[in-house]
mmCIF file of all heavy atoms in Angstrom:
data_model
loop_
_atom_site.group_PDB
_atom_site.id
_atom_site.type_symbol
_atom_site.label_atom_id
_atom_site.label_comp_id
_atom_site.label_asym_id
_atom_site.label_seq_id
_atom_site.Cartn_x
_atom_site.Cartn_y
_atom_site.Cartn_z
ATOM 1 N N GLU G 149 0.827 -1.208 0.000
ATOM 2 C CA GLU G 149 0.000 0.000 0.000
ATOM 3 C C GLU G 149 0.862 1.260 0.000
ATOM 4 O O GLU G 149 0.613 2.206 -0.755
ATOM 5 C CB GLU G 149 -0.931 -0.011 1.212
ATOM 6 C CG GLU G 149 -1.909 1.122 1.256
ATOM 7 C CD GLU G 149 -2.987 1.050 0.184
ATOM 8 O OE1 GLU G 149 -3.279 -0.056 -0.301
ATOM 9 O OE2 GLU G 149 -3.539 2.115 -0.162
ATOM 10 N N LEU G 150 1.881 1.289 0.849
ATOM 11 C CA LEU G 150 2.778 2.453 0.889
ATOM 12 C C LEU G 150 3.506 2.631 -0.432
ATOM 13 O O LEU G 150 3.643 3.746 -0.941
ATOM 14 C CB LEU G 150 3.802 2.291 2.007
ATOM 15 C CG LEU G 150 3.424 2.844 3.363
ATOM 16 C CD1 LEU G 150 4.502 2.531 4.378
ATOM 17 C CD2 LEU G 150 3.189 4.324 3.311
ATOM 18 N N LYS G 151 3.996 1.536 -0.981
ATOM 19 C CA LYS G 151 4.716 1.611 -2.251
ATOM 20 C C LYS G 151 3.815 2.141 -3.355
ATOM 21 O O LYS G 151 4.252 2.939 -4.194
ATOM 22 C CB LYS G 151 5.288 0.252 -2.619
ATOM 23 C CG LYS G 151 6.465 -0.125 -1.752
ATOM 24 C CD LYS G 151 6.995 -1.515 -2.075
ATOM 25 C CE LYS G 151 8.161 -1.854 -1.164
ATOM 26 N NZ LYS G 151 8.671 -3.203 -1.402
ATOM 27 N N ALA G 152 2.562 1.718 -3.370
ATOM 28 C CA ALA G 152 1.623 2.181 -4.394
ATOM 29 C C ALA G 152 1.291 3.659 -4.208
ATOM 30 O O ALA G 152 1.290 4.432 -5.174
ATOM 31 C CB ALA G 152 0.351 1.340 -4.348
ATOM 32 N N ARG G 153 1.018 4.061 -2.978
ATOM 33 C CA ARG G 153 0.630 5.449 -2.719
ATOM 34 C C ARG G 153 1.782 6.434 -2.891
ATOM 35 O O ARG G 153 1.566 7.608 -3.178
ATOM 36 C CB ARG G 153 0.046 5.585 -1.317
ATOM 37 C CG ARG G 153 -1.322 4.955 -1.195
ATOM 38 C CD ARG G 153 -1.893 5.171 0.187
ATOM 39 N NE ARG G 153 -3.160 4.515 0.331
ATOM 40 C CZ ARG G 153 -4.250 5.118 0.768
ATOM 41 N NH1 ARG G 153 -4.220 6.386 1.113
ATOM 42 N NH2 ARG G 153 -5.368 4.452 0.874
ATOM 43 N N LEU G 154 2.989 5.970 -2.665
ATOM 44 C CA LEU G 154 4.157 6.847 -2.768
ATOM 45 C C LEU G 154 4.940 6.622 -4.057
ATOM 46 O O LEU G 154 6.123 6.965 -4.142
ATOM 47 C CB LEU G 154 5.071 6.646 -1.555
ATOM 48 C CG LEU G 154 4.449 6.968 -0.195
ATOM 49 C CD1 LEU G 154 5.411 6.641 0.924
ATOM 50 C CD2 LEU G 154 4.017 8.415 -0.119
ATOM 51 N N LEU G 155 4.304 6.063 -5.066
ATOM 52 C CA LEU G 155 4.987 5.707 -6.307
ATOM 53 C C LEU G 155 5.688 6.898 -6.953
ATOM 54 O O LEU G 155 6.867 6.809 -7.310
ATOM 55 C CB LEU G 155 3.995 5.076 -7.288
ATOM 56 C CG LEU G 155 4.598 4.619 -8.616
ATOM 57 C CD1 LEU G 155 5.664 3.565 -8.375
ATOM 58 C CD2 LEU G 155 3.512 4.087 -9.523
ATOM 59 N N GLN G 156 5.000 8.015 -7.097
ATOM 60 C CA GLN G 156 5.619 9.180 -7.734
ATOM 61 C C GLN G 156 6.813 9.687 -6.930
ATOM 62 O O GLN G 156 7.853 10.021 -7.499
ATOM 63 C CB GLN G 156 4.603 10.294 -7.922
ATOM 64 C CG GLN G 156 3.571 9.980 -8.977
ATOM 65 C CD GLN G 156 2.576 11.113 -9.155
ATOM 66 O OE1 GLN G 156 2.390 11.922 -8.253
ATOM 67 N NE2 GLN G 156 1.938 11.155 -10.315
ATOM 68 N N ILE G 157 6.666 9.735 -5.620
ATOM 69 C CA ILE G 157 7.762 10.202 -4.765
ATOM 70 C C ILE G 157 8.937 9.226 -4.828
ATOM 71 O O ILE G 157 10.093 9.633 -4.885
ATOM 72 C CB ILE G 157 7.274 10.383 -3.309
ATOM 73 C CG1 ILE G 157 6.266 11.533 -3.264
ATOM 74 C CG2 ILE G 157 8.433 10.638 -2.357
ATOM 75 C CD1 ILE G 157 5.527 11.668 -1.962
ATOM 76 N N ARG G 158 8.621 7.931 -4.855
ATOM 77 C CA ARG G 158 9.678 6.926 -4.960
ATOM 78 C C ARG G 158 10.463 7.084 -6.254
ATOM 79 O O ARG G 158 11.692 6.950 -6.265
ATOM 80 C CB ARG G 158 9.092 5.517 -4.885
ATOM 81 C CG ARG G 158 8.627 5.114 -3.500
ATOM 82 C CD ARG G 158 8.004 3.741 -3.434
ATOM 83 N NE ARG G 158 8.618 2.768 -4.305
ATOM 84 C CZ ARG G 158 7.934 1.959 -5.133
ATOM 85 N NH1 ARG G 158 6.627 1.998 -5.178
ATOM 86 N NH2 ARG G 158 8.560 1.106 -5.887
ATOM 87 N N LYS G 159 9.763 7.366 -7.336
ATOM 88 C CA LYS G 159 10.440 7.532 -8.628
ATOM 89 C C LYS G 159 11.301 8.794 -8.655
ATOM 90 O O LYS G 159 12.426 8.780 -9.136
ATOM 91 C CB LYS G 159 9.420 7.584 -9.760
ATOM 92 C CG LYS G 159 8.830 6.239 -10.088
ATOM 93 C CD LYS G 159 7.884 6.360 -11.263
ATOM 94 C CE LYS G 159 7.327 5.009 -11.651
ATOM 95 N NZ LYS G 159 6.429 5.126 -12.819
ATOM 96 N N ILE G 160 10.765 9.891 -8.135
ATOM 97 C CA ILE G 160 11.493 11.159 -8.154
ATOM 98 C C ILE G 160 12.750 11.089 -7.284
ATOM 99 O O ILE G 160 13.833 11.494 -7.699
ATOM 100 C CB ILE G 160 10.588 12.316 -7.681
ATOM 101 C CG1 ILE G 160 9.475 12.560 -8.693
ATOM 102 C CG2 ILE G 160 11.400 13.591 -7.434
ATOM 103 C CD1 ILE G 160 8.376 13.485 -8.194
ATOM 104 N N TRP G 161 12.610 10.575 -6.079
ATOM 105 C CA TRP G 161 13.696 10.589 -5.106
ATOM 106 C C TRP G 161 14.438 9.264 -4.994
ATOM 107 O O TRP G 161 15.381 9.159 -4.210
ATOM 108 C CB TRP G 161 13.160 10.987 -3.729
ATOM 109 C CG TRP G 161 12.669 12.398 -3.703
ATOM 110 C CD1 TRP G 161 11.390 12.826 -3.843
ATOM 111 C CD2 TRP G 161 13.473 13.562 -3.560
ATOM 112 N NE1 TRP G 161 11.343 14.191 -3.787
ATOM 113 C CE2 TRP G 161 12.606 14.677 -3.613
ATOM 114 C CE3 TRP G 161 14.835 13.781 -3.388
ATOM 115 C CZ2 TRP G 161 13.075 15.980 -3.504
ATOM 116 C CZ3 TRP G 161 15.287 15.069 -3.278
ATOM 117 C CH2 TRP G 161 14.421 16.160 -3.333
ATOM 118 N N ASN G 162 14.002 8.241 -5.733
ATOM 119 C CA ASN G 162 14.616 6.913 -5.676
ATOM 120 C C ASN G 162 14.651 6.391 -4.233
ATOM 121 O O ASN G 162 15.690 6.014 -3.703
ATOM 122 C CB ASN G 162 16.025 6.939 -6.272
ATOM 123 C CG ASN G 162 16.556 5.542 -6.513
ATOM 124 O OD1 ASN G 162 15.790 4.599 -6.700
ATOM 125 N ND2 ASN G 162 17.859 5.399 -6.505
ATOM 126 N N ILE G 163 13.485 6.423 -3.597
ATOM 127 C CA ILE G 163 13.360 6.027 -2.195
ATOM 128 C C ILE G 163 13.011 4.551 -2.076
ATOM 129 O O ILE G 163 12.156 4.046 -2.795
ATOM 130 C CB ILE G 163 12.269 6.871 -1.493
ATOM 131 C CG1 ILE G 163 12.686 8.330 -1.448
ATOM 132 C CG2 ILE G 163 11.983 6.356 -0.086
ATOM 133 C CD1 ILE G 163 11.621 9.257 -0.906
ATOM 134 N N GLU G 164 13.672 3.888 -1.160
ATOM 135 C CA GLU G 164 13.344 2.498 -0.824
ATOM 136 C C GLU G 164 12.409 2.507 0.381
ATOM 137 O O GLU G 164 12.635 3.241 1.341
ATOM 138 C CB GLU G 164 14.618 1.724 -0.475
ATOM 139 C CG GLU G 164 14.380 0.286 -0.111
ATOM 140 C CD GLU G 164 15.660 -0.421 0.282
ATOM 141 O OE1 GLU G 164 16.753 0.091 -0.003
ATOM 142 O OE2 GLU G 164 15.551 -1.496 0.892
ATOM 143 N N ILE G 165 11.361 1.698 0.334
ATOM 144 C CA ILE G 165 10.393 1.631 1.432
ATOM 145 C C ILE G 165 10.488 0.275 2.107
ATOM 146 O O ILE G 165 10.505 -0.761 1.440
ATOM 147 C CB ILE G 165 8.958 1.873 0.917
ATOM 148 C CG1 ILE G 165 8.836 3.306 0.399
ATOM 149 C CG2 ILE G 165 7.935 1.606 2.015
ATOM 150 C CD1 ILE G 165 7.511 3.641 -0.203
ATOM 151 N N MET G 166 10.563 0.307 3.422
ATOM 152 C CA MET G 166 10.599 -0.919 4.221
ATOM 153 C C MET G 166 9.534 -0.830 5.309
ATOM 154 O O MET G 166 9.406 0.200 5.962
ATOM 155 C CB MET G 166 11.966 -1.091 4.890
ATOM 156 C CG MET G 166 13.120 -1.207 3.927
ATOM 157 S SD MET G 166 14.730 -1.147 4.757
ATOM 158 C CE MET G 166 14.645 -2.554 5.820
ATOM 159 N N VAL G 167 8.786 -1.906 5.486
ATOM 160 C CA VAL G 167 7.816 -1.994 6.579
ATOM 161 C C VAL G 167 8.252 -3.174 7.437
ATOM 162 O O VAL G 167 8.351 -4.303 6.952
ATOM 163 C CB VAL G 167 6.378 -2.184 6.062
ATOM 164 C CG1 VAL G 167 5.414 -2.305 7.229
ATOM 165 C CG2 VAL G 167 5.976 -1.016 5.167
ATOM 166 N N LEU G 168 8.522 -2.893 8.702
ATOM 167 C CA LEU G 168 9.058 -3.898 9.616
ATOM 168 C C LEU G 168 8.213 -3.986 10.876
ATOM 169 O O LEU G 168 7.540 -3.032 11.234
ATOM 170 C CB LEU G 168 10.487 -3.528 10.029
ATOM 171 C CG LEU G 168 11.485 -3.191 8.936
ATOM 172 C CD1 LEU G 168 12.762 -2.649 9.550
ATOM 173 C CD2 LEU G 168 11.772 -4.406 8.091
ATOM 174 N N ASN G 169 8.318 -5.111 11.558
ATOM 175 C CA ASN G 169 7.758 -5.186 12.904
ATOM 176 C C ASN G 169 8.890 -4.846 13.877
ATOM 177 O O ASN G 169 10.044 -4.653 13.470
ATOM 178 C CB ASN G 169 7.116 -6.548 13.177
ATOM 179 C CG ASN G 169 8.097 -7.700 13.149
ATOM 180 O OD1 ASN G 169 9.303 -7.516 12.996
ATOM 181 N ND2 ASN G 169 7.595 -8.908 13.274
ATOM 182 N N GLU G 170 8.556 -4.761 15.128
ATOM 183 C CA GLU G 170 9.546 -4.339 16.125
ATOM 184 C C GLU G 170 10.725 -5.305 16.202
ATOM 185 O O GLU G 170 11.879 -4.896 16.334
ATOM 186 C CB GLU G 170 8.877 -4.207 17.495
ATOM 187 C CG GLU G 170 9.766 -3.567 18.535
ATOM 188 C CD GLU G 170 9.034 -3.299 19.839
ATOM 189 O OE1 GLU G 170 8.051 -3.997 20.141
ATOM 190 O OE2 GLU G 170 9.456 -2.376 20.545
ATOM 191 N N GLU G 171 10.445 -6.592 16.079
ATOM 192 C CA GLU G 171 11.498 -7.602 16.155
ATOM 193 C C GLU G 171 12.512 -7.432 15.018
ATOM 194 O O GLU G 171 13.730 -7.456 15.244
ATOM 195 C CB GLU G 171 10.878 -9.003 16.096
ATOM 196 C CG GLU G 171 11.874 -10.122 16.181
ATOM 197 C CD GLU G 171 11.211 -11.485 16.085
ATOM 198 O OE1 GLU G 171 10.019 -11.610 16.420
ATOM 199 O OE2 GLU G 171 11.896 -12.424 15.664
ATOM 200 N N LEU G 172 12.034 -7.245 13.802
ATOM 201 C CA LEU G 172 12.936 -7.041 12.670
ATOM 202 C C LEU G 172 13.711 -5.734 12.812
ATOM 203 O O LEU G 172 14.901 -5.673 12.485
ATOM 204 C CB LEU G 172 12.152 -7.041 11.360
ATOM 205 C CG LEU G 172 11.586 -8.381 10.902
ATOM 206 C CD1 LEU G 172 10.677 -8.182 9.689
ATOM 207 C CD2 LEU G 172 12.706 -9.343 10.569
ATOM 208 N N ALA G 173 13.063 -4.703 13.290
ATOM 209 C CA ALA G 173 13.725 -3.412 13.488
ATOM 210 C C ALA G 173 14.854 -3.533 14.510
ATOM 211 O O ALA G 173 15.924 -2.956 14.333
ATOM 212 C CB ALA G 173 12.722 -2.359 13.920
ATOM 213 N N GLU G 174 14.622 -4.306 15.558
ATOM 214 C CA GLU G 174 15.668 -4.519 16.564
ATOM 215 C C GLU G 174 16.841 -5.283 15.968
ATOM 216 O O GLU G 174 18.001 -4.959 16.237
ATOM 217 C CB GLU G 174 15.104 -5.264 17.768
ATOM 218 C CG GLU G 174 14.232 -4.401 18.652
ATOM 219 C CD GLU G 174 13.591 -5.169 19.796
ATOM 220 O OE1 GLU G 174 13.787 -6.403 19.900
ATOM 221 O OE2 GLU G 174 12.875 -4.528 20.579
ATOM 222 N N LYS G 175 16.549 -6.296 15.149
ATOM 223 C CA LYS G 175 17.623 -7.070 14.512
ATOM 224 C C LYS G 175 18.475 -6.194 13.598
ATOM 225 O O LYS G 175 19.670 -6.438 13.445
ATOM 226 C CB LYS G 175 17.041 -8.239 13.722
ATOM 227 C CG LYS G 175 16.550 -9.365 14.583
ATOM 228 C CD LYS G 175 16.011 -10.504 13.747
ATOM 229 C CE LYS G 175 15.468 -11.606 14.639
ATOM 230 N NZ LYS G 175 14.885 -12.708 13.848
ATOM 231 N N LEU G 176 17.859 -5.201 12.985
ATOM 232 C CA LEU G 176 18.581 -4.290 12.098
ATOM 233 C C LEU G 176 19.130 -3.072 12.842
ATOM 234 O O LEU G 176 19.614 -2.133 12.216
ATOM 235 C CB LEU G 176 17.656 -3.840 10.968
ATOM 236 C CG LEU G 176 17.202 -4.946 10.012
ATOM 237 C CD1 LEU G 176 16.137 -4.420 9.058
ATOM 238 C CD2 LEU G 176 18.384 -5.505 9.243
ATOM 239 N N SER G 177 19.018 -3.087 14.173
ATOM 240 C CA SER G 177 19.511 -1.998 15.033
ATOM 241 C C SER G 177 18.871 -0.656 14.691
ATOM 242 O O SER G 177 19.520 0.386 14.687
ATOM 243 C CB SER G 177 21.030 -1.887 14.949
ATOM 244 O OG SER G 177 21.638 -3.079 15.345
ATOM 245 N N LEU G 178 17.564 -0.683 14.431
ATOM 246 C CA LEU G 178 16.840 0.544 14.109
ATOM 247 C C LEU G 178 16.015 1.066 15.275
ATOM 248 O O LEU G 178 15.308 2.059 15.129
ATOM 249 C CB LEU G 178 15.908 0.303 12.914
ATOM 250 C CG LEU G 178 16.603 -0.069 11.609
ATOM 251 C CD1 LEU G 178 15.566 -0.395 10.540
ATOM 252 C CD2 LEU G 178 17.513 1.053 11.141
ATOM 253 N N THR G 179 16.100 0.410 16.420
ATOM 254 C CA THR G 179 15.364 0.863 17.595
ATOM 255 C C THR G 179 16.355 1.261 18.677
ATOM 256 O O THR G 179 17.511 0.851 18.673
ATOM 257 C CB THR G 179 14.430 -0.235 18.133
ATOM 258 O OG1 THR G 179 15.215 -1.377 18.480
ATOM 259 C CG2 THR G 179 13.374 -0.624 17.122
ATOM 260 N N ALA G 180 15.888 2.062 19.597
ATOM 261 C CA ALA G 180 16.714 2.493 20.720
ATOM 262 C C ALA G 180 16.073 2.014 22.006
ATOM 263 O O ALA G 180 14.853 2.007 22.137
ATOM 264 C CB ALA G 180 16.832 4.010 20.742
ATOM 265 N N ASN G 181 16.887 1.610 22.931
ATOM 266 C CA ASN G 181 16.385 1.236 24.253
ATOM 267 C C ASN G 181 16.017 2.495 25.018
ATOM 268 O O ASN G 181 16.645 3.542 24.853
ATOM 269 C CB ASN G 181 17.448 0.470 25.047
ATOM 270 C CG ASN G 181 17.783 -0.857 24.403
ATOM 271 O OD1 ASN G 181 16.956 -1.460 23.731
ATOM 272 N ND2 ASN G 181 19.002 -1.300 24.589
ATOM 273 N N ASN G 182 15.010 2.395 25.872
ATOM 274 C CA ASN G 182 14.616 3.549 26.683
ATOM 275 C C ASN G 182 15.772 4.038 27.543
ATOM 276 O O ASN G 182 15.895 5.218 27.806
ATOM 277 C CB ASN G 182 13.414 3.207 27.557
ATOM 278 C CG ASN G 182 12.150 3.104 26.740
ATOM 279 O OD1 ASN G 182 12.062 3.650 25.653
ATOM 280 N ND2 ASN G 182 11.170 2.403 27.270
ATOM 281 N N GLN G 183 16.616 3.136 27.986
ATOM 282 C CA GLN G 183 17.722 3.535 28.854
ATOM 283 C C GLN G 183 18.752 4.376 28.094
ATOM 284 O O GLN G 183 19.523 5.107 28.685
ATOM 285 C CB GLN G 183 18.386 2.328 29.474
ATOM 286 C CG GLN G 183 19.095 1.422 28.469
ATOM 287 C CD GLN G 183 19.577 0.158 29.125
ATOM 288 O OE1 GLN G 183 19.213 -0.152 30.247
ATOM 289 N NE2 GLN G 183 20.427 -0.568 28.441
ATOM 290 N N ASP G 184 18.764 4.292 26.761
ATOM 291 C CA ASP G 184 19.673 5.107 25.968
ATOM 292 C C ASP G 184 19.378 6.595 26.137
ATOM 293 O O ASP G 184 20.224 7.431 25.933
ATOM 294 C CB ASP G 184 19.576 4.752 24.486
ATOM 295 C CG ASP G 184 20.124 3.361 24.190
ATOM 296 O OD1 ASP G 184 20.855 2.813 25.044
ATOM 297 O OD2 ASP G 184 19.820 2.819 23.113
#
């Protein structure tokens, strides 16, 4: 859905879209611990 709705923006800016759950985001080190 995001890729379809943002198609023009993706083409203009060559943007990659990723949709992750919290577990995948943590594995990719994209989340921060509250203690940080």
